[in-house]
Amino acid sequence: MSIGIGVVGTGIMGADHASTISRRVPSGFVAAVADPDASRLEAAVRGTGAGKAYTNPIDLIEDPKVEAVIVASPDQTHAELVRACLRAQKPVLCEKPLAPSPEECLGLVEQEASLGRRLITVGFMRRFDPSYRAMKSELRQGRLGAPLLFHCIHRGTRASTPATSDMIITAAAVHEIDITRWLFESEIVRCRVFNSRRQTESPIRNPQFLVLENESGVLITIEVFSSVYGYDVRGEVVCDRGTIMLSDPREILLRLDGHERRDFYDDWRPRFATAYQDQMSDWIKSITGADSEEFDGATAWDGYVAASVADACLRSTTRDQDVDIELSARPEIYS
Ligand SMILES: NC(=O)c1ccc[n+]([C@@H]2O[C@H](COP(=O)([O-])OP(=O)(O)OC[C@H]3O[C@@H](n4cnc5c(N)ncnc54)[C@H](O)[C@@H]3O)[C@@H](O)[C@H]2O)c1
């Protein structure tokens, strides 16, 4: 059985998701695409064979041939589109962030909770990355003892540089915020952002350095530095008896003319290609009921918590002090 997916927003991420479905995920097909930009819409139809193309995303969401929706439009459009998916009672995979503010995310959590079932998944795809998965499985085995520290590095190229200083946190570090909660299964309780000297001639605060603390007492350090040498995501958990690091996913090591060379990716798409694909196929399996294992995707609640921690980090930047994270009560459907 193959289900009809509607893709809203056919820019970088929407086109990538549509291509992943049509080339690599046989359990789904692209039934329709929507984008106000006619040239992107046309390219998406050509690339995926989508049966329908809409300039109004609500028309796509209401199309009976669309059984589930991917939202990959700009951040500020997410809440309204996800609300429309809930009204139509259709499963939705919404790119991160679920919405720019914790208040908007909470509104979606409450709307979903009132339906009594989970329809929203947030695209925190690192949960599906083989390296993070192996790290979590090793930590669960307990050979290393208790985790104490998690050092994260998130560097990128000029092409992947966020437009504003705040987006270094809300668009980039938010991935580490989510993966930390997923990895340690413990809530973040406090945060502090430090700013070093700015990269020479950078128009935004870059790099930024975050320190988070979780309920279990693990300290998490996150360096986010865009516009540097290449897309490079690293992580090392320090435990009682040893450490565990993410492996280096780059494919080849070149030795030539007395030098050794390994190229970095330009952005996140090749680095996390397997994660995007596995997220997509597991999401579709969770919709069709083809997978008896519990789906590991991020829920609307996870989207709300990530937005709340990111928001607290922004307040820490403004106040130059530690900020405690305060969350609303978690509705039953997310336990
Ligand atoms: N998970 C990840 O690793 C990751 C990486 C990058 C971006 N993102 C997220 O993906 C989303 C899209 O980012 P992008 O880089 O593809 O942006 P983009 O600008 O390349 O594409 C956005 C597309 O949405 C279209 N659009 C604008 N308003 C719309 C509306 N109301 N309805 C439908 N389409 C609309 C635009 O015309 C454009 O084609 C953002 O929310 C971003 O934060 C996630």
Side-chain angles (χ1 to χ4, degrees), residues 76-117:
Q76 68 278 11
T77 64
H78 291 184
E80 185 201 342
L81 296 168
V82 171
R83 262 196 302 277
C85 292
L86 293 179
R87 273 198 306 276
Q89 307 232 356
K90 292 186 183 178
V92 51
L93 171 57
C94 177
E95 258 311 337
K96 64 82 203 160
L98 178 55
S101 71
E103 293 75 21
E104 281 173 289
C105 291
L106 191 58
L108 294 169
V109 161
E110 285 165 354
Q111 192 181 340
E112 184 179 52
S114 74
L115 293 175
R117 66 186 176 120

mmCIF file of all heavy atoms in Angstrom, residues 76-117:
data_model
loop_
_atom_site.group_PDB
_atom_site.id
_atom_site.type_symbol
_atom_site.label_atom_id
_atom_site.label_comp_id
_atom_site.label_asym_id
_atom_site.label_seq_id
_atom_site.Cartn_x
_atom_site.Cartn_y
_atom_site.Cartn_z
ATOM 1 N N GLN A 76 7.331 30.895 9.809
ATOM 2 C CA GLN A 76 6.182 31.667 10.307
ATOM 3 C C GLN A 76 4.854 31.189 9.712
ATOM 4 O O GLN A 76 3.786 31.595 10.185
ATOM 5 C CB GLN A 76 6.391 33.181 10.081
ATOM 6 C CG GLN A 76 6.374 33.644 8.648
ATOM 7 C CD GLN A 76 7.706 33.454 7.909
ATOM 8 O OE1 GLN A 76 8.606 32.788 8.407
ATOM 9 N NE2 GLN A 76 7.818 34.030 6.717
ATOM 10 N N THR A 77 4.895 30.321 8.688
ATOM 11 C CA THR A 77 3.648 29.809 8.099
ATOM 12 C C THR A 77 3.211 28.484 8.750
ATOM 13 O O THR A 77 2.110 27.999 8.498
ATOM 14 C CB THR A 77 3.814 29.561 6.576
ATOM 15 O OG1 THR A 77 4.795 28.517 6.396
ATOM 16 C CG2 THR A 77 4.277 30.805 5.839
ATOM 17 N N HIS A 78 4.107 27.861 9.552
ATOM 18 C CA HIS A 78 3.848 26.494 10.028
ATOM 19 C C HIS A 78 2.561 26.358 10.849
ATOM 20 O O HIS A 78 1.769 25.448 10.612
ATOM 21 C CB HIS A 78 5.033 25.985 10.860
ATOM 22 C CG HIS A 78 6.278 25.742 10.055
ATOM 23 N ND1 HIS A 78 7.437 25.219 10.587
ATOM 24 C CD2 HIS A 78 6.568 25.952 8.736
ATOM 25 C CE1 HIS A 78 8.374 25.127 9.651
ATOM 26 N NE2 HIS A 78 7.877 25.570 8.517
ATOM 27 N N ALA A 79 2.381 27.273 11.822
ATOM 28 C CA ALA A 79 1.257 27.087 12.758
ATOM 29 C C ALA A 79 -0.083 27.049 12.016
ATOM 30 O O ALA A 79 -0.901 26.148 12.234
ATOM 31 C CB ALA A 79 1.272 28.198 13.810
ATOM 32 N N GLU A 80 -0.282 27.981 11.108
ATOM 33 C CA GLU A 80 -1.566 28.041 10.401
ATOM 34 C C GLU A 80 -1.786 26.770 9.557
ATOM 35 O O GLU A 80 -2.890 26.210 9.508
ATOM 36 C CB GLU A 80 -1.575 29.280 9.496
ATOM 37 C CG GLU A 80 -2.895 29.498 8.805
ATOM 38 C CD GLU A 80 -2.787 30.371 7.559
ATOM 39 O OE1 GLU A 80 -1.785 31.081 7.411
ATOM 40 O OE2 GLU A 80 -3.718 30.288 6.726
ATOM 41 N N LEU A 81 -0.709 26.309 8.916
ATOM 42 C CA LEU A 81 -0.842 25.130 8.045
ATOM 43 C C LEU A 81 -1.067 23.860 8.859
ATOM 44 O O LEU A 81 -1.862 22.990 8.478
ATOM 45 C CB LEU A 81 0.405 25.009 7.151
ATOM 46 C CG LEU A 81 0.577 26.182 6.174
ATOM 47 C CD1 LEU A 81 1.953 26.182 5.536
ATOM 48 C CD2 LEU A 81 -0.512 26.141 5.102
ATOM 49 N N VAL A 82 -0.354 23.752 9.994
ATOM 50 C CA VAL A 82 -0.540 22.566 10.847
ATOM 51 C C VAL A 82 -1.961 22.568 11.431
ATOM 52 O O VAL A 82 -2.614 21.524 11.505
ATOM 53 C CB VAL A 82 0.554 22.505 11.947
ATOM 54 C CG1 VAL A 82 0.251 21.412 12.967
ATOM 55 C CG2 VAL A 82 1.925 22.278 11.306
ATOM 56 N N ARG A 83 -2.444 23.756 11.782
ATOM 57 C CA ARG A 83 -3.839 23.855 12.288
ATOM 58 C C ARG A 83 -4.812 23.333 11.226
ATOM 59 O O ARG A 83 -5.735 22.588 11.525
ATOM 60 C CB ARG A 83 -4.184 25.305 12.611
ATOM 61 C CG ARG A 83 -4.034 25.629 14.082
ATOM 62 C CD ARG A 83 -4.739 26.921 14.479
ATOM 63 N NE ARG A 83 -4.277 28.089 13.750
ATOM 64 C CZ ARG A 83 -3.194 28.782 14.080
ATOM 65 N NH1 ARG A 83 -2.470 28.431 15.125
ATOM 66 N NH2 ARG A 83 -2.817 29.831 13.375
ATOM 67 N N ALA A 84 -4.571 23.693 9.968
ATOM 68 C CA ALA A 84 -5.463 23.230 8.878
ATOM 69 C C ALA A 84 -5.386 21.705 8.746
ATOM 70 O O ALA A 84 -6.396 21.045 8.475
ATOM 71 C CB ALA A 84 -5.076 23.916 7.570
ATOM 72 N N CYS A 85 -4.197 21.126 8.943
ATOM 73 C CA CYS A 85 -4.060 19.652 8.874
ATOM 74 C C CYS A 85 -4.850 19.005 10.011
ATOM 75 O O CYS A 85 -5.508 17.979 9.809
ATOM 76 C CB CYS A 85 -2.590 19.235 8.967
ATOM 77 S SG CYS A 85 -1.621 19.731 7.539
ATOM 78 N N LEU A 86 -4.789 19.601 11.206
ATOM 79 C CA LEU A 86 -5.554 19.046 12.338
ATOM 80 C C LEU A 86 -7.053 19.124 12.052
ATOM 81 O O LEU A 86 -7.800 18.178 12.322
ATOM 82 C CB LEU A 86 -5.216 19.784 13.638
ATOM 83 C CG LEU A 86 -3.792 19.600 14.187
ATOM 84 C CD1 LEU A 86 -3.607 20.410 15.472
ATOM 85 C CD2 LEU A 86 -3.464 18.138 14.451
ATOM 86 N N ARG A 87 -7.477 20.260 11.464
ATOM 87 C CA ARG A 87 -8.915 20.402 11.132
ATOM 88 C C ARG A 87 -9.337 19.311 10.147
ATOM 89 O O ARG A 87 -10.410 18.734 10.256
ATOM 90 C CB ARG A 87 -9.186 21.776 10.513
ATOM 91 C CG ARG A 87 -9.471 22.863 11.521
ATOM 92 C CD ARG A 87 -10.165 24.061 10.872
ATOM 93 N NE ARG A 87 -9.457 24.592 9.722
ATOM 94 C CZ ARG A 87 -8.444 25.469 9.787
ATOM 95 N NH1 ARG A 87 -8.030 25.927 10.960
ATOM 96 N NH2 ARG A 87 -7.856 25.896 8.691
ATOM 97 N N ALA A 88 -8.440 19.012 9.192
ATOM 98 C CA ALA A 88 -8.756 17.986 8.184
ATOM 99 C C ALA A 88 -8.473 16.577 8.719
ATOM 100 O O ALA A 88 -8.669 15.584 8.004
ATOM 101 C CB ALA A 88 -7.928 18.241 6.915
ATOM 102 N N GLN A 89 -7.959 16.491 9.970
ATOM 103 C CA GLN A 89 -7.610 15.211 10.619
ATOM 104 C C GLN A 89 -6.623 14.418 9.771
ATOM 105 O O GLN A 89 -6.762 13.209 9.585
ATOM 106 C CB GLN A 89 -8.870 14.393 10.908
ATOM 107 C CG GLN A 89 -9.906 15.178 11.674
ATOM 108 C CD GLN A 89 -10.393 14.446 12.923
ATOM 109 O OE1 GLN A 89 -10.026 13.340 13.199
ATOM 110 N NE2 GLN A 89 -11.234 15.105 13.674
ATOM 111 N N LYS A 90 -5.590 15.108 9.254
ATOM 112 C CA LYS A 90 -4.572 14.420 8.455
ATOM 113 C C LYS A 90 -3.223 14.453 9.162
ATOM 114 O O LYS A 90 -2.839 15.490 9.713
ATOM 115 C CB LYS A 90 -4.431 15.092 7.078
ATOM 116 C CG LYS A 90 -5.671 14.902 6.221
ATOM 117 C CD LYS A 90 -5.501 15.426 4.815
ATOM 118 C CE LYS A 90 -6.831 15.241 4.069
ATOM 119 N NZ LYS A 90 -6.805 15.766 2.709
ATOM 120 N N PRO A 91 -2.480 13.342 9.145
ATOM 121 C CA PRO A 91 -1.138 13.345 9.725
ATOM 122 C C PRO A 91 -0.262 14.371 9.004
ATOM 123 O O PRO A 91 -0.367 14.525 7.782
ATOM 124 C CB PRO A 91 -0.610 11.929 9.456
ATOM 125 C CG PRO A 91 -1.822 11.112 9.163
ATOM 126 C CD PRO A 91 -2.840 12.033 8.572
ATOM 127 N N VAL A 92 0.574 15.062 9.796
ATOM 128 C CA VAL A 92 1.419 16.094 9.201
ATOM 129 C C VAL A 92 2.840 15.973 9.742
ATOM 130 O O VAL A 92 3.048 15.832 10.949
ATOM 131 C CB VAL A 92 0.826 17.512 9.436
ATOM 132 C CG1 VAL A 92 0.495 17.773 10.887
ATOM 133 C CG2 VAL A 92 1.760 18.600 8.920
ATOM 134 N N LEU A 93 3.802 15.978 8.819
ATOM 135 C CA LEU A 93 5.215 16.046 9.190
ATOM 136 C C LEU A 93 5.636 17.486 8.933
ATOM 137 O O LEU A 93 5.760 17.907 7.776
ATOM 138 C CB LEU A 93 6.044 15.073 8.330
ATOM 139 C CG LEU A 93 7.571 15.167 8.426
ATOM 140 C CD1 LEU A 93 8.072 14.977 9.849
ATOM 141 C CD2 LEU A 93 8.235 14.134 7.522
ATOM 142 N N CYS A 94 5.785 18.252 10.021
ATOM 143 C CA CYS A 94 6.104 19.671 9.885
ATOM 144 C C CYS A 94 7.597 19.864 10.111
ATOM 145 O O CYS A 94 8.133 19.398 11.121
ATOM 146 C CB CYS A 94 5.308 20.468 10.917
ATOM 147 S SG CYS A 94 5.708 22.230 10.883
ATOM 148 N N GLU A 95 8.241 20.522 9.174
ATOM 149 C CA GLU A 95 9.651 20.831 9.356
ATOM 150 C C GLU A 95 9.829 21.594 10.664
ATOM 151 O O GLU A 95 8.937 22.307 11.106
ATOM 152 C CB GLU A 95 10.163 21.671 8.172
ATOM 153 C CG GLU A 95 10.969 20.876 7.174
ATOM 154 C CD GLU A 95 12.055 20.010 7.811
ATOM 155 O OE1 GLU A 95 12.497 20.287 8.934
ATOM 156 O OE2 GLU A 95 12.446 19.035 7.187
ATOM 157 N N LYS A 96 10.995 21.472 11.244
ATOM 158 C CA LYS A 96 11.276 22.259 12.452
ATOM 159 C C LYS A 96 11.458 23.715 12.051
ATOM 160 O O LYS A 96 11.892 23.952 10.927
ATOM 161 C CB LYS A 96 12.495 21.701 13.202
ATOM 162 C CG LYS A 96 13.826 21.787 12.416
ATOM 163 C CD LYS A 96 14.480 23.136 12.495
ATOM 164 C CE LYS A 96 15.414 23.449 11.410
ATOM 165 N NZ LYS A 96 15.707 24.839 11.205
ATOM 166 N N PRO A 97 11.105 24.714 12.875
ATOM 167 C CA PRO A 97 10.418 24.557 14.150
ATOM 168 C C PRO A 97 8.930 24.347 13.919
ATOM 169 O O PRO A 97 8.401 24.767 12.888
ATOM 170 C CB PRO A 97 10.679 25.911 14.811
ATOM 171 C CG PRO A 97 10.692 26.883 13.665
ATOM 172 C CD PRO A 97 11.311 26.142 12.527
ATOM 173 N N LEU A 98 8.264 23.716 14.917
ATOM 174 C CA LEU A 98 6.815 23.547 14.790
ATOM 175 C C LEU A 98 6.177 24.923 14.571
ATOM 176 O O LEU A 98 5.296 25.080 13.738
ATOM 177 C CB LEU A 98 6.290 22.880 16.071
ATOM 178 C CG LEU A 98 4.795 22.657 16.177
ATOM 179 C CD1 LEU A 98 4.249 21.858 15.001
ATOM 180 C CD2 LEU A 98 4.452 21.964 17.502
ATOM 181 N N ALA A 99 6.660 25.910 15.315
ATOM 182 C CA ALA A 99 6.260 27.324 15.125
ATOM 183 C C ALA A 99 7.348 28.165 15.771
ATOM 184 O O ALA A 99 8.076 27.666 16.636
ATOM 185 C CB ALA A 99 4.907 27.585 15.757
ATOM 186 N N PRO A 100 7.488 29.423 15.391
ATOM 187 C CA PRO A 100 8.589 30.217 15.941
ATOM 188 C C PRO A 100 8.503 30.475 17.456
ATOM 189 O O PRO A 100 9.526 30.607 18.097
ATOM 190 C CB PRO A 100 8.502 31.538 15.162
ATOM 191 C CG PRO A 100 7.758 31.200 13.916
ATOM 192 C CD PRO A 100 6.802 30.107 14.300
ATOM 193 N N SER A 101 7.289 30.566 18.040
ATOM 194 C CA SER A 101 7.233 30.884 19.477
ATOM 195 C C SER A 101 6.665 29.699 20.256
ATOM 196 O O SER A 101 5.836 28.938 19.746
ATOM 197 C CB SER A 101 6.336 32.106 19.706
ATOM 198 O OG SER A 101 4.995 31.752 19.490
ATOM 199 N N PRO A 102 7.084 29.550 21.539
ATOM 200 C CA PRO A 102 6.519 28.478 22.368
ATOM 201 C C PRO A 102 5.010 28.608 22.503
ATOM 202 O O PRO A 102 4.303 27.596 22.553
ATOM 203 C CB PRO A 102 7.205 28.654 23.729
ATOM 204 C CG PRO A 102 8.246 29.689 23.588
ATOM 205 C CD PRO A 102 8.127 30.335 22.242
ATOM 206 N N GLU A 103 4.502 29.854 22.524
ATOM 207 C CA GLU A 103 3.045 30.050 22.702
ATOM 208 C C GLU A 103 2.280 29.454 21.514
ATOM 209 O O GLU A 103 1.275 28.769 21.693
ATOM 210 C CB GLU A 103 2.711 31.541 22.829
ATOM 211 C CG GLU A 103 3.235 32.208 24.089
ATOM 212 C CD GLU A 103 4.752 32.476 24.077
ATOM 213 O OE1 GLU A 103 5.337 32.525 22.978
ATOM 214 O OE2 GLU A 103 5.331 32.615 25.168
ATOM 215 N N GLU A 104 2.783 29.710 20.299
ATOM 216 C CA GLU A 104 2.105 29.131 19.115
ATOM 217 C C GLU A 104 2.191 27.602 19.141
ATOM 218 O O GLU A 104 1.241 26.905 18.784
ATOM 219 C CB GLU A 104 2.771 29.626 17.832
ATOM 220 C CG GLU A 104 2.389 31.024 17.409
ATOM 221 C CD GLU A 104 3.247 31.454 16.226
ATOM 222 O OE1 GLU A 104 4.453 31.697 16.421
ATOM 223 O OE2 GLU A 104 2.702 31.530 15.119
ATOM 224 N N CYS A 105 3.358 27.074 19.564
ATOM 225 C CA CYS A 105 3.517 25.612 19.636
ATOM 226 C C CYS A 105 2.525 25.033 20.640
ATOM 227 O O CYS A 105 1.886 24.006 20.375
ATOM 228 C CB CYS A 105 4.936 25.236 20.070
ATOM 229 S SG CYS A 105 6.190 25.614 18.854
ATOM 230 N N LEU A 106 2.397 25.715 21.785
ATOM 231 C CA LEU A 106 1.485 25.216 22.818
ATOM 232 C C LEU A 106 0.041 25.202 22.307
ATOM 233 O O LEU A 106 -0.716 24.271 22.596
ATOM 234 C CB LEU A 106 1.617 26.082 24.086
ATOM 235 C CG LEU A 106 0.934 25.536 25.317
ATOM 236 C CD1 LEU A 106 1.457 24.148 25.691
ATOM 237 C CD2 LEU A 106 1.129 26.495 26.502
ATOM 238 N N GLY A 107 -0.322 26.198 21.520
ATOM 239 C CA GLY A 107 -1.666 26.231 20.923
ATOM 240 C C GLY A 107 -1.900 24.980 20.077
ATOM 241 O O GLY A 107 -2.976 24.365 20.130
ATOM 242 N N LEU A 108 -0.868 24.558 19.327
ATOM 243 C CA LEU A 108 -1.014 23.363 18.486
ATOM 244 C C LEU A 108 -1.077 22.098 19.337
ATOM 245 O O LEU A 108 -1.853 21.180 19.048
ATOM 246 C CB LEU A 108 0.159 23.283 17.493
ATOM 247 C CG LEU A 108 0.176 24.409 16.459
ATOM 248 C CD1 LEU A 108 1.479 24.429 15.677
ATOM 249 C CD2 LEU A 108 -1.005 24.277 15.489
ATOM 250 N N VAL A 109 -0.261 22.069 20.397
ATOM 251 C CA VAL A 109 -0.290 20.928 21.332
ATOM 252 C C VAL A 109 -1.709 20.788 21.898
ATOM 253 O O VAL A 109 -2.280 19.694 21.930
ATOM 254 C CB VAL A 109 0.745 21.167 22.477
ATOM 255 C CG1 VAL A 109 0.452 20.305 23.693
ATOM 256 C CG2 VAL A 109 2.166 20.925 21.969
ATOM 257 N N GLU A 110 -2.301 21.911 22.315
ATOM 258 C CA GLU A 110 -3.637 21.862 22.934
ATOM 259 C C GLU A 110 -4.705 21.441 21.924
ATOM 260 O O GLU A 110 -5.595 20.660 22.235
ATOM 261 C CB GLU A 110 -3.975 23.229 23.559
ATOM 262 C CG GLU A 110 -3.199 23.438 24.849
ATOM 263 C CD GLU A 110 -3.186 24.882 25.324
ATOM 264 O OE1 GLU A 110 -3.697 25.770 24.597
ATOM 265 O OE2 GLU A 110 -2.639 25.130 26.422
ATOM 266 N N GLN A 111 -4.562 21.944 20.685
ATOM 267 C CA GLN A 111 -5.543 21.574 19.645
ATOM 268 C C GLN A 111 -5.452 20.072 19.349
ATOM 269 O O GLN A 111 -6.463 19.381 19.214
ATOM 270 C CB GLN A 111 -5.283 22.385 18.368
ATOM 271 C CG GLN A 111 -6.416 22.266 17.363
ATOM 272 C CD GLN A 111 -6.134 23.047 16.079
ATOM 273 O OE1 GLN A 111 -5.293 23.951 16.051
ATOM 274 N NE2 GLN A 111 -6.824 22.690 15.014
ATOM 275 N N GLU A 112 -4.204 19.559 19.274
ATOM 276 C CA GLU A 112 -4.029 18.125 18.996
ATOM 277 C C GLU A 112 -4.532 17.291 20.173
ATOM 278 O O GLU A 112 -5.209 16.272 19.974
ATOM 279 C CB GLU A 112 -2.549 17.826 18.728
ATOM 280 C CG GLU A 112 -2.310 16.379 18.333
ATOM 281 C CD GLU A 112 -0.847 16.099 18.040
ATOM 282 O OE1 GLU A 112 0.014 16.417 18.876
ATOM 283 O OE2 GLU A 112 -0.559 15.545 16.975
ATOM 284 N N ALA A 113 -4.206 17.733 21.396
ATOM 285 C CA ALA A 113 -4.633 16.976 22.587
ATOM 286 C C ALA A 113 -6.157 16.891 22.635
ATOM 287 O O ALA A 113 -6.720 15.871 23.031
ATOM 288 C CB ALA A 113 -4.082 17.631 23.843
ATOM 289 N N SER A 114 -6.842 17.954 22.176
ATOM 290 C CA SER A 114 -8.314 17.934 22.224
ATOM 291 C C SER A 114 -8.876 16.919 21.225
ATOM 292 O O SER A 114 -10.000 16.460 21.379
ATOM 293 C CB SER A 114 -8.881 19.335 21.976
ATOM 294 O OG SER A 114 -8.743 19.655 20.609
ATOM 295 N N LEU A 115 -8.080 16.548 20.210
ATOM 296 C CA LEU A 115 -8.543 15.504 19.273
ATOM 297 C C LEU A 115 -8.336 14.103 19.867
ATOM 298 O O LEU A 115 -8.891 13.119 19.382
ATOM 299 C CB LEU A 115 -7.749 15.575 17.962
ATOM 300 C CG LEU A 115 -7.948 16.799 17.074
ATOM 301 C CD1 LEU A 115 -6.989 16.737 15.884
ATOM 302 C CD2 LEU A 115 -9.383 16.881 16.577
ATOM 303 N N GLY A 116 -7.435 14.028 20.882
ATOM 304 C CA GLY A 116 -7.204 12.750 21.561
ATOM 305 C C GLY A 116 -6.279 11.804 20.828
ATOM 306 O O GLY A 116 -6.120 10.649 21.217
ATOM 307 N N ARG A 117 -5.644 12.245 19.735
ATOM 308 C CA ARG A 117 -4.665 11.382 19.064
ATOM 309 C C ARG A 117 -3.593 12.226 18.415
ATOM 310 O O ARG A 117 -3.830 13.386 18.064
ATOM 311 C CB ARG A 117 -5.331 10.464 18.038
ATOM 312 C CG ARG A 117 -5.929 11.172 16.854
ATOM 313 C CD ARG A 117 -6.678 10.176 15.989
ATOM 314 N NE ARG A 117 -7.341 10.849 14.894
ATOM 315 C CZ ARG A 117 -7.091 10.599 13.620
ATOM 316 N NH1 ARG A 117 -6.209 9.688 13.280
ATOM 317 N NH2 ARG A 117 -7.738 11.255 12.678
#
